[in-house]
Amino acid sequence: LLTDSSVTGPNHSSCLGLLSHFHFSQLYFLYPCTSFFSSHNRQSTFFSTVFHHMSIKSTLNSAFSYSTVKIVTIRDARLGIIHRLIQLAIFTYIVGFVIIWQQQYLETESSMGTVLWKVKGTSTGTLAHNNATTFASSEELINPPSEVNALFLATRVVQTNSQIRGECASFPAVECDTTSDCPSTFNLTDGLKRDMSAFNGKCVNRQCIYQQWCPQEHDGNFTSQNTTQMIQMNEVDDFTVWFKASIQFPHLAPSKVFSTIKDPTPRPRSLHPNSGNLFTIAELLAIADEVDGEKQITTYGTVKDKGCVLRVSVDWSCNLDKWDVTTACDIRFNVLRLDSAAVGDGFNFRSSEYYRVDGVENRDLTKYTGVRMILTSKGVGYKFSLSRTILQLSSGLALMVVATTFCDFLLQYIFPERQRYKLYKRDIKGGSVQTHADMYEETDDDTFAPVISGYDDYA
């Protein structure tokens, strides 16, 4: 326009119109216009207008720039293989691990239930003071007769009958010469001390006597002369326990109750190793004996004298999509010994019955030692969830961006051709927008390479 001979001279509006098509960095094209303004002595005014106009436009373009994705096909086998391998790894993780292995397409709910039990059996017993034989049924050895989610079965019973309040020697007996020789505390078997200072200890017939229930319980010293007698039960390990359990998942299946309480007959574990619910005491102890694949010392012979504490857990895994509640759950029984098998902590407790004879209060003291069971029913219910499936698949698609991001990093910063690849990857355009044909030229192999112009070199 400025060099055309047919044009006698540029005017103010045509120069400003021409300026609007150039970037601020291209002001060296303005030189032909300066002659016009120089001849009219308006050069300074014109350049003030030009620089003001270009400065505002450049500021707006920088503040309100827009970034868009540029798709470039890089024919490099290294990048292509790495990109596909990362995509394959992400796909394997989502489908193989998250969906198939962890089943994250399922909605789950954890819940607790209740456990009922029924014990049957009869055992002979040996009296310690004379080796006489007696017998006892399950009703006599279960104490208390009914508990919620718990059960106690006695293996050893120590009885001290007809005790009254009075003064008698301690057990074991403490010899003395004077009352000052009688100790005010006693060391108990569990390491604690028993304070006897308030029970008026005194020396009588060279023995310390105290106010207490008399005769004293003589646990461990069973003779025909002592009122304390012990019965050792022999076949309690053959007793059977039928466990009946139930569970409900109020969030996912509020109308369904999964239960074995209504089962007409039990399933012996000996015949149903994976789903049996009828156990002998010996079988429960054998399961508890397995800890991390190693045998412990939990047998009836080792627990009958001191007892033990077992946790019997009924574990449910229920498919809530099934309509038949009798076949929807997989049930497993787990048994764990809670007290220390090595130390032999065991379990025992005492109970007493009170009555009066000729107006004098009497009591019968009984110490029970045996197998204490803590019963739990817990489980997980699951069902197909469309929303969780869509979430996992969407997460997998989102992770695919990692493959592209990593390959872009290799492309621009690691590969030896990174400088050349950056020309394909990055373009910053300002002012007027270049068309695709302006930025690339077609090569002999039907691909496009960037056009490197004199302006690009200058910029």
Side-chain angles (χ1 to χ4, degrees):
L1 175 66
L2 298 179
T3 58
D4 191 348
S5 59
S6 63
V7 180
T8 57
N11 54 47
H12 185 271
S13 61
S14 63
C15 283
L16 289 179
L18 180 63
L19 290 173
S20 64
H21 295 283
F22 289 92
H23 191 264
F24 185 70
S25 62
Q26 297 170 302
L27 290 179
Y28 63 90
F29 288 107
L30 296 177
Y31 178 75
C33 292
T34 60
S35 60
F36 168 79
F37 292 101
S38 179
S39 61
H40 291 80
N41 296 322
R42 298 172 62 186
Q43 181 176 0
S44 60
T45 304
F46 170 73
F47 275 102
S48 297
T49 305
V50 169
F51 279 102
H52 179 70
H53 173 75
M54 299 304 293
S55 176
I56 294 176
K57 185 174 181 180
S58 177
T59 302
L60 291 176
N61 287 338
S62 298
F64 299 99
S65 61
Y66 168 72
S67 299
T68 186
V69 177
K70 175 182 178 182
I71 300 177
V72 180
T73 300
I74 304 297
R75 294 185 175 181
D76 191 318
R78 297 169 300 173
L79 278 175
I81 292 175
I82 294 174
H83 187 253
R84 296 305 181 198
L85 287 177
I86 297 176
Q87 286 182 329
L88 179 61
I90 295 174
F91 178 82
T92 303
Y93 168 75
I94 294 298
V95 176
F97 180 72
V98 175
I99 295 182
I100 297 179
W101 179 257
Q102 291 193 328
Q103 297 182 333
Q104 291 296 312
Y105 63 93
L106 299 175
E107 186 175 1
T108 61
E109 179 184 3
S110 299
S111 185
M112 301 291 291
T114 187
V115 182
L116 304 179
W117 48 264
K118 180 181 289 187
V119 179
K120 287 186 177 182
T122 301
S123 173
T124 62
T126 302
L127 278 68
H129 65 282
N130 58 7
N131 290 326
T133 300
T134 183
F135 73 93
S137 61
S138 58
E139 296 82 3
E140 300 173 81
L141 300 180
I142 297 175
N143 192 354
S146 179
E147 283 188 274
V148 178
N149 295 330
L151 167 65
F152 174 79
L153 191 59
T155 60
R156 187 172 184 261
V157 181
V158 177
Q159 292 179 323
T160 305
N161 298 325
S162 303
Q163 288 184 314
I164 62 173
R165 290 183 174 91
E167 293 181 343
C168 55
S170 61
F171 178 79
V174 178
E175 295 184 354
C176 61
D177 293 325
T178 63
T179 299
S180 60
D181 295 333
C182 296
S184 59
T185 59
F186 282 89
N187 294 324
L188 303 180
T189 56
D190 55 7
L192 300 178
K193 293 182 180 295
R194 181 183 179 187
D195 187 4
M196 299 291 292
S197 59
F199 297 94
N200 299 325
K202 57 186 178 180
C203 185
V204 177
N205 297 328
R206 298 183 60 83
Q207 280 192 335
C208 292
I209 63 173
Y210 297 89
Q211 289 183 346
Q212 56 189 328
W213 284 97
C214 301
Q216 178 84 345
E217 180 188 67
H218 290 193
D219 191 0
N221 183 19
F222 308 111
T223 64
S224 57
Q225 289 78 24
N226 292 332
T227 56
T228 300
Q229 304 299 328
M230 186 269 288
I231 304 174
Q232 181 70 60
M233 310 312 300
N234 300 319
E235 294 90 20
V236 175
D237 55 334
D238 292 331
F239 282 30
T240 59
V241 185
W242 181 9
F243 295 106
K244 302 179 179 183
S246 66
I247 196 170
Q248 188 177 18
F249 303 96
H251 176 65
L252 295 181
S255 61
K256 296 181 179 180
V257 177
F258 304 91
S259 173
T260 62
I261 296 178
K262 296 182 179 179
D263 291 354
T265 57
R267 297 187 302 275
R269 180 177 174 80
S270 58
L271 301 179
H272 306 273
N274 295 326
S275 60
N277 59 3
L278 181 68
F279 297 81
T280 64
I281 299 299
E283 289 173 338
L284 292 173
L285 295 175
I287 299 174
D289 195 41
E290 292 282 348
V291 179
D292 297 330
E294 297 182 0
K295 288 287 185 179
Q296 305 298 308
I297 53 175
T298 303
T299 63
Y300 184 72
T302 60
V303 304
K304 66 180 181 179
D305 291 332
K306 291 188 175 182
C308 66
V309 182
L310 304 179
R311 187 196 69 186
V312 181
S313 175
V314 185
D315 298 331
W316 302 73
S317 178
C318 299
N319 184 356
L320 304 182
D321 290 321
K322 289 186 176 181
W323 288 99
D324 188 359
V325 295
T326 60
T327 61
C329 296
D330 179 31
I331 306 175
R332 292 288 186 270
F333 285 81
N334 293 304
V335 185
L336 177 66
R337 182 169 181 177
L338 300 182
D339 65 312
S340 175
V343 178
D345 294 336
F347 180 83
N348 64 76
F349 69 95
R350 290 174 172 83
S351 67
S352 57
E353 295 182 4
Y354 296 86
Y355 54 94
R356 289 185 176 273
V357 176
D358 297 331
V360 179
E361 186 178 34
N362 285 244
R363 79 170 187 179
D364 294 338
L365 178 66
T366 305
K367 177 184 177 182
Y368 294 94
T369 301
V371 179
R372 171 72 169 175
M373 302 183 200
I374 309 299
L375 312 178
T376 62
S377 175
K378 58 186 179 65
V380 176
Y382 58 88
K383 65 186 303 184
F384 175 77
S385 173
L386 180 61
S387 60
R388 289 185 62 86
T389 303
I390 295 176
L391 176 62
Q392 299 304 327
L393 295 177
S394 301
S395 301
L397 293 176
L399 284 176
M400 290 297 180
V401 178
V402 174
T404 302
T405 303
F406 183 74
C407 289
D408 281 351
F409 176 79
L410 296 178
L411 175 79
Q412 300 180 69
Y413 300 103
I414 303 299
F415 281 9
E417 305 88 350
R418 56 186 177 274
Q419 296 299 333
R420 177 171 170 241
Y421 285 155
K422 284 182 181 180
L423 297 176
Y424 291 86
K425 182 64 179 173
R426 298 181 177 179
D427 274 322
I428 301 177
K429 301 302 177 184
S432 60
V433 179
Q434 288 183 276
T435 63
H436 186 278
D438 294 332
M439 295 188 291
Y440 296 91
E441 61 181 5
E442 188 172 2
T443 61
D444 294 337
D445 58 353
D446 295 332
T447 61
F448 288 90
V451 177
I452 310 300
S453 63
Y455 157 67
D456 292 328
D457 290 339
Y458 176 83

